[in-house]
Amino acid sequence: MKNIHLLTPKEMRALIRKGNWDKPTAGLAMGYAQANLVILPQKYAFDFLLFCQRNPKPCPLLEVLEPGKFRPEFLSKDADIRTDIPRYNIYRKGKLERTVRDIRNLWKNDFVTFLLGCSFSFEETLLRSKIPIRHIEEKKNVPMFITNIPCRTAGVFHGPMVVTMRPIPPDKVTRAVQITARYASVHGAPVHIGDPSKIGIKNLQRPDFGDAVTIRKGEIPVFWPCGVTPQAVMMKAKPDFCITHTPGHMFISDVLNEELASY
Amino acid sequence: MKNIHLLTPKEMRALIRKGNWDKPTAGLAMGYAQANLVILPQKYAFDFLLFCQRNPKPCPLLEVLEPGKFRPEFLSKDADIRTDIPRYNIYRKGKLERTVRDIRNLWKNDFVTFLLGCSFSFEETLLRSKIPIRHIEEKKNVPMFITNIPCRTAGVFHGPMVVTMRPIPPDKVTRAVQITARYASVHGAPVHIGDPSKIGIKNLQRPDFGDAVTIRKGEIPVFWPCGVTPQAVMMKAKPDFCITHTPGHMFISDVLNEELASY
């Protein structure tokens, strides 16, 4: 088989669809945007769309499909949302019930699909600027933390912001802010730099999702809003039913990261 | 009375609420963002929110209120959407029925209010960069045109993009693009520069909304997406009922334009 890192988005999605890849997707199909997934019954759709409008940093909408539709139009022309994500989380009344690799048998005609930008999109540009990405270096899932930063409420949806953390050498922090600020539709600039306790994080070695990574002497922990925020929100809002991706296991799109950047 | 141009947003809204100002709002409360208004019954709210998500250039959402709410939270803490806009357009089944100065007697508990960014926000920065704004110079309403550029459809909503036109001296066009690109949440960069016929505009002296302005020899017509687009869409989609602002007669907010700019 070809080196996995050289596969196109279409090839990666085919591999995932056949059940041959169920691991995190960071570093795959470099150059192409990946997306967070939220699927909700139609009765929750207006409230959640409003939640995303009010919380664009953790929940930057890339595409929303009309009720019952499982094929995107903007992010890909040949994808199927029910099969093309490596792992799905099934939430019932706010509880993670199980993790599955295919949701065709769960699909209902009133399901509304939301695809949200993912910070993996700006990692490529950070790497090109010689800013290290520790979880890629260590072949791990990005560390994610539930913070004490409240999201703005919309209808039934409320809860805390989830962030990703990347340890950055002190002389590169400003550049990392500048680079990521260009990518508002994939979470944009950091929400916090420096002291994890200020945003309610007790131990950087105990992430709420993903893996802990090495923080070298002198490195500054930098925190970006994360598309796993809806999952923390589902745990609080407890909708009857909700499907998301499993953190780190993203939808791989055919849209270039550069197409999502501001000038 | 104080010079009208020196009034704060709160003072301008009070004047409007008392029925003492029903003219266009360009050039008023400089420094503060103005907003386009769309009010729809709840049954249309998801489709229209989706329409805005899919068409962020003509329909950049600044705030959406939950059903029945008429007091914004983000754009102002003391405004009333039913009284604080100089003129309202009442549409029934896609037809402009009448124009009124107060909608308290029309208000229903299932109305959902959408407030969209307005290009008046970047005019101030253009002026500060010595880029002339002809309709302000001539004390007119900005000229607006229905184009042949289709919006992306969402549910029942479909139709053409409406644009504003400003004639710009040729040596200032690039700078005008650069400046307005920083303001994505108030329509951002131009959608077209130069030839009006390419976007379906036949006669620049016959705008579909607002007033014609002088185009001096050598000036380039530059076209920005416009928040009157929803009104062209209502004419096509024909919802039972819809209330908008009258073009050019905007909601004046307490949020600074600079707060809406990207870095």
Side-chain angles (χ1 to χ4, degrees):
Chain A
M1 200 182 77
K2 263 165 87 177
N3 179 331
I4 192 91
H5 291 279
L6 298 180
L7 296 184
T8 65
K10 192 177 176 133
E11 289 167 339
M12 264 316 300
R13 288 196 303 270
L15 203 67
I16 290 164
R17 196 177 304 145
K18 283 183 216 142
N20 292 328
W21 181 270
D22 67 347
K23 293 194 283 289
T25 50
L28 297 177
M30 290 297 267
Y32 291 90
Q34 300 195 15
N36 297 278
L37 175 74
V38 176
I39 298 171
L40 283 163
Q42 189 170 4
K43 66 177 171 176
Y44 299 109
F46 176 74
D47 281 1
F48 189 68
L49 191 50
L50 191 55
F51 183 85
C52 294
Q53 192 273 322
R54 289 183 179 169
N55 297 282
K57 288 176 186 181
C59 303
L61 286 170
L62 295 180
E63 183 161 15
V64 182
L65 309 186
E66 265 119 342
K69 289 206 175 164
F70 46 78
R71 293 194 183 278
E73 287 177 28
F74 169 67
L75 289 175
S76 173
K77 300 289 180 199
D78 67 1
D80 185 330
I81 287 303
R82 306 168 305 169
T83 53
D84 292 5
I85 282 122
R87 281 199 167 272
Y88 301 83
N89 280 0
I90 312 298
Y91 288 91
R92 208 175 289 271
K93 297 195 189 299
K95 286 234 164 91
L96 177 61
E97 188 180 78
R98 61 202 161 107
T99 286
V100 300
R101 291 170 63 170
D102 184 317
I103 56 165
R104 278 177 297 181
N105 61 336
L106 295 167
W107 188 260
K108 291 196 175 148
N109 282 335
D110 78 331
F111 282 1
V112 179
T113 296
F114 300 81
L115 293 154
L116 284 60
C118 168
S119 57
F120 292 172
S121 283
F122 57 59
E123 292 186 339
E124 181 199 356
T125 317
L126 292 172
L127 286 172
R128 268 197 270 123
S129 301
K130 301 183 187 164
I131 296 173
I133 307 288
R134 189 62 32 78
H135 63 271
I136 296 183
E137 287 173 8
E138 298 186 341
K139 294 190 177 20
K140 288 176 173 174
N141 196 352
V142 62
M144 292 163 261
F145 299 89
I146 298 175
T147 69
N148 62 8
I149 304 169
C151 291
R152 290 180 64 201
T153 296
V156 300
F157 295 107
H158 64 282
M161 191 187 296
V162 175
V163 295
T164 53
M165 187 281 293
R166 293 167 185 79
I168 307 285
D171 61 336
K172 293 179 190 280
V173 171
T174 297
R175 191 76 189 129
V177 173
Q178 290 176 303
I179 290 168
T180 56
R182 287 185 65 224
Y183 293 88
S185 61
V186 295
H187 302 303
V191 66
H192 185 73
I193 298 169
D195 181 355
S197 72
K198 285 281 188 293
I199 55 172
I201 298 171
K202 285 183 188 142
N203 185 345
L204 287 179
Q205 292 307 312
R206 301 279 297 267
D208 295 295
F209 308 96
D211 303 317
V213 297
T214 309
I215 303 178
R216 297 193 192 140
K217 197 161 185 287
E219 286 182 337
I220 312 290
V222 181
F223 302 89
W224 279 269
C226 176
V228 171
T229 299
Q231 303 194 38
V233 164
M234 295 311 153
M235 293 173 194
K236 293 270 184 199
K238 302 184 181 17
D240 302 342
F241 191 71
C242 178
I243 301 174
T244 70
H245 68 294
T246 299
H249 301 64
M250 319 304 291
F251 175 70
I252 299 174
S253 86
D254 294 322
V255 170
L256 289 166
N257 293 323
E258 215 44 39
E259 293 179 76
L260 300 176
S262 61
Y263 69 106
Chain B
M1 199 180 78
K2 265 165 86 176
N3 180 331
I4 191 93
H5 291 278
L6 297 180
L7 296 184
T8 65
K10 191 178 177 132
E11 289 167 338
M12 266 314 301
R13 287 196 304 269
L15 204 68
I16 291 163
R17 196 177 305 147
K18 283 183 215 141
N20 292 328
W21 181 270
D22 68 346
K23 294 197 280 290
T25 51
L28 297 178
M30 290 295 269
Y32 292 90
Q34 300 195 15
N36 297 278
L37 175 74
V38 176
I39 298 171
L40 283 163
Q42 190 170 3
K43 66 177 171 176
Y44 300 109
F46 176 75
D47 281 2
F48 189 68
L49 191 50
L50 190 56
F51 183 84
C52 294
Q53 192 274 323
R54 288 183 180 169
N55 297 282
K57 288 177 186 180
C59 302
L61 287 171
L62 295 180
E63 182 160 15
V64 181
L65 309 186
E66 265 120 343
K69 291 206 173 161
F70 46 78
R71 295 195 181 275
E73 288 177 29
F74 170 67
L75 289 175
S76 173
K77 300 289 180 201
D78 67 1
D80 185 330
I81 287 304
R82 304 168 306 169
T83 54
D84 292 5
I85 283 120
R87 281 201 166 271
Y88 301 83
N89 279 359
I90 312 298
Y91 288 91
R92 210 175 288 273
K93 296 194 189 300
K95 286 235 163 91
L96 176 61
E97 189 181 78
R98 61 200 160 106
T99 287
V100 300
R101 290 170 65 171
D102 184 317
I103 56 165
R104 278 176 297 181
N105 62 336
L106 295 167
W107 189 260
K108 291 196 174 146
N109 281 335
D110 77 329
F111 282 1
V112 178
T113 297
F114 300 80
L115 292 154
L116 284 59
C118 168
S119 58
F120 292 172
S121 284
F122 58 58
E123 291 186 340
E124 180 199 356
T125 316
L126 291 172
L127 286 172
R128 268 197 269 124
S129 302
K130 301 181 186 166
I131 296 172
I133 308 288
R134 189 59 35 75
H135 62 273
I136 295 182
E137 287 172 9
E138 299 185 342
K139 293 191 178 12
K140 288 176 172 172
N141 196 350
V142 63
M144 293 163 261
F145 300 89
I146 298 175
T147 69
N148 63 9
I149 304 169
C151 291
R152 289 180 64 201
T153 296
V156 300
F157 295 108
H158 64 282
M161 190 187 296
V162 176
V163 295
T164 53
M165 188 282 291
R166 291 166 187 80
I168 307 285
D171 61 336
K172 293 179 190 280
V173 171
T174 297
R175 192 75 189 127
V177 173
Q178 289 176 303
I179 289 169
T180 57
R182 286 185 66 224
Y183 293 87
S185 61
V186 294
H187 303 304
V191 65
H192 185 73
I193 297 169
D195 182 354
S197 72
K198 286 281 188 294
I199 55 172
I201 298 172
K202 285 183 187 141
N203 185 345
L204 287 179
Q205 292 307 312
R206 300 280 298 268
D208 295 295
F209 308 95
D211 304 317
V213 297
T214 309
I215 303 178
R216 296 192 192 140
K217 198 162 184 289
E219 285 182 337
I220 312 289
V222 181
F223 302 89
W224 279 269
C226 176
V228 171
T229 299
Q231 303 195 37
V233 163
M234 295 310 153
M235 292 173 193
K236 293 271 184 195
K238 302 183 185 7
D240 301 342
F241 191 71
C242 177
I243 301 174
T244 70
H245 68 294
T246 298
H249 301 63
M250 319 305 292
F251 174 70
I252 299 174
S253 86
D254 294 321
V255 170
L256 288 165
N257 293 323
E258 214 44 40
E259 294 179 76
L260 301 175
S262 62
Y263 71 106

